[in-house]
Amino acid sequence: MTTLPPPAVKIFPESTLEKKCYNIAEMFKENIPITNDRNRLGFNLYKYLIGEGDAPEVIVRNAKLKVKGISLANLAKRIEEEIAKIEL
């Protein structure tokens, strides 16, 4: 019995909005140690930037992120600062 190889994963180019959102989430790797939490944060940031999601302070509160070494309010503030650097 054999198994098939996993499907190929398409990596977003660095210039896309999706990649920029997930990069912001990865910037907080030390403060958000769980990979799935960072992925959830990146997805929610993308939804926010396309106009379908909540603001960062709401995302941080409602996403149930396991955060260490920083308060939720400070994390939301730092995320907003990083979002301001993105050229839409």
Side-chain angles (χ1 to χ4, degrees):
M1 185 172 200
T2 63
T3 59
L4 297 174
V9 176
K10 181 179 176 186
I11 305 296
F12 289 113
E14 290 292 326
S15 61
T16 63
L17 183 59
E18 293 92 344
K19 186 66 172 179
K20 291 176 182 179
C21 290
Y22 282 95
N23 284 342
I24 289 174
E26 282 299 316
M27 291 174 70
F28 299 102
K29 191 174 195 171
E30 294 177 5
N31 301 112
I32 306 172
I34 300 173
T35 305
N36 195 36
D37 285 352
R38 291 191 306 272
N39 287 336
R40 191 176 326 113
L41 176 61
F43 175 75
N44 283 319
L45 290 176
Y46 172 71
K47 297 295 273 185
Y48 169 67
L49 289 176
I50 63 171
E52 295 179 7
D54 295 322
E57 59 271 2
V58 177
I59 292 170
V60 169
R61 191 171 7 114
N62 292 341
K64 298 181 182 177
L65 305 172
K66 180 179 169 95
V67 178
K68 68 176 190 178
I70 191 171
S71 69
L72 292 178
N74 194 14
L75 177 63
K77 181 182 172 193
R78 289 182 57 198
I79 289 171
E80 287 179 3
E81 290 170 357
E82 293 300 324
I83 288 174
K85 295 177 186 176
I86 294 179
E87 297 176 12
L88 296 177

